[in-house]
Amino acid sequence: MSKGVKINVWGSYALFSRPEMKVERCSYDVMTPSAARGILEAIYWHPGLKWIIDKIYVKNPIVFTSVRRNEVKSKLSASNALTVIKGGKKPIYISTKSDIVQRSSRILQDVSYVIEAHFEMTDKANSSDNPGKFKDIIMRRLKRGQCFHAPYFGCREFPVNFSLCEDEVIESYYADEESKDLGYMLYDIDYSDPENLQPMFFRAIMHNGVIDLRDCEVIR
Amino acid sequence: MSEVIKNRYEFIVLFDVENGNPNGDPDAGNMPRIDPETGYGIVTDVCLKRKIRNYVDTVKEGEEGYRIYIREDAPLNTKDEEALEYLQIEDTKQLKKTDPDAELKIRDFMCKNFYDIRTFGAVMTTFVRAKLNCGQVRGPVQLSFARSVDPIISQEVTITRIAITKKDASAEKATEMGRKNIVPYALYRAEGYISANLARKTTGFTEEDLDLLWDAIINMFENDHSAARGKMAVRRLIVFKHSKELGDCPSYKLFDAVEVCKKPDVVYPRKYSDYEVNVDKNQIPETVEVMDKI
């Protein structure tokens, strides 16, 4: 039994932030492998399984739009919360009047992709786990549209619609474009050492609307 | 407190605006947000979340367990600061930076006391640098941008006022000009998702919280009247309740089953009755319960 799946994902907006432009967020041209992994994990994940993205098919033209929003600039402070738990009388809230900041986001519009991925077993799998079982669960969830939580394109306000992809041939707006260089993109973040997270990058080249990640060079 | 929710939900909110600005665009001089390509109006998710927070804050007035973390203003009465229910942490002195669970305990404390964190989540600064994601709380409720059913027209209304701001200028002129941007009429549609798994695993969002959320959505514009908003009202709240925690069918099928369009003889919609809302029950699986909350 193959451990691969193909899923359709589409939505009105998407924002895959470039790490170099995070204050006024700007999206990559296409979905990053790590965002694709996040979508799959929202549908099904288990400690005994690890998703690996093989291909990303870009079906719709890359179109940007922008939106500027009022955001807060501070985060919930753990030490403030701790003081209050201990009985301190610190006011505990964020005032949007004083902590306000206006930030613009450059977001993708009307996106549609096919994610081709497979999973590998990890050593955290229980003795009763096997690839067939995981595959069955995944297929069942995809067919029924079930998910752990609603997946999203980069940010939670941009929800993902998903369905199992059964097409042999995937049509793409870029099918005739032999190769389109999208520059360096984030591949994923290496979480193996919790004290020292390492971003990994790759050179994204889209061949006829497909980004093949199976044999790409990953740079740290 | 009642039980944590056990079902996945999706919901559609239809709200309209009459001669007002539902959500100004800071990039366009506070004109109503418009998708420049299609002309459809947009209201951001954060704009609606703000109103939900404000409603809960108004109704609950800082009641235990229903405090609001992201506030527009300082709370009026700070005495309820003392009313916080302290967590059952055996010895708080032991809660050192080295305690691996300290941040989880703080997270649970915040979720328990703050309605908005329990609902929408929050990001916490962590004690230990680069500690994996434990500072991030994903709430079960997820909202997307609301979009108008038809393209909208934004109208600029110039107004005058006779009170001059600066003393020096008052000698020279009798009035000052101002501008208002309004949408004559628009019906917006927002879609939302509620994950029972996130409620159970992280924030403990309960059935009672859910009822409050529906109330807040229905009444979100009732306490938000202002000169800029005009007349805004929630017209319809359609809730889909799945029979399972994971859900019964894809969310887009449910959203597609609800069609909102102008009536055939209407050219310029100016009121809610110019629109028709059809819920196609055939597209919805029997196990999904459809509830019209308003």
Side-chain angles (χ1 to χ4, degrees), chain B residues 22 51 54 72 219-226 229-230 232:
Chain B
K51 302 201 189 321
N54 286 354
E72 267 184 332
N219 294 303
M220 63 183 169
F221 301 117
E222 300 304 327
N223 295 301
D224 187 59
H225 294 298
S226 77
R229 297 268 174 266
M232 291 189 75

Side-chain angles (χ1 to χ4, degrees), chain A residues 130-142:
Chain A
N130 61 66
K133 176 183 155 189
F134 285 154
K135 172 90 180 184
D136 281 349
I137 298 174
I138 293 153
M139 294 310 272
R140 198 160 58 228
R141 289 206 183 173
L142 286 172

Side-chain angles (χ1 to χ4, degrees), chain A residues 68 76 84 96 146 148 156, chain B residues 27 33 71 84 125 197 247:
Chain A
R68 185 178 292 272
L76 198 166
V84 174
T96 52
Q146 295 180 319
F148 182 81
R156 287 195 82 193
Chain B
D27 254 351
R33 291 183 190 274
R71 308 178 64 105
L84 280 179
T125 51
N197 296 290

Side-chain angles (χ1 to χ4, degrees), chain B residues 232-285:
Chain B
M232 291 189 75
V234 175
R235 294 294 184 164
R236 195 97 185 245
L237 170 60
I238 303 169
V239 177
F240 303 102
K241 182 181 182 182
H242 295 257
S243 67
K244 300 186 196 75
E245 198 175 57
L246 287 169
D248 300 327
C249 80
S251 47
Y252 67 89
K253 288 207 170 143
L254 301 174
F255 292 141
D256 287 352
V258 177
E259 196 194 13
V260 185
C261 55
K262 354 183 244 248
K263 287 181 182 161
D265 53 329
V266 174
V267 185
Y268 305 110
R270 282 294 180 266
K271 53 185 184 297
Y272 181 63
S273 55
D274 289 343
Y275 281 95
E276 227 168 301
V277 182
N278 292 313
V279 184
D280 184 359
K281 294 260 157 84
N282 296 328
Q283 289 184 45
I284 300 168

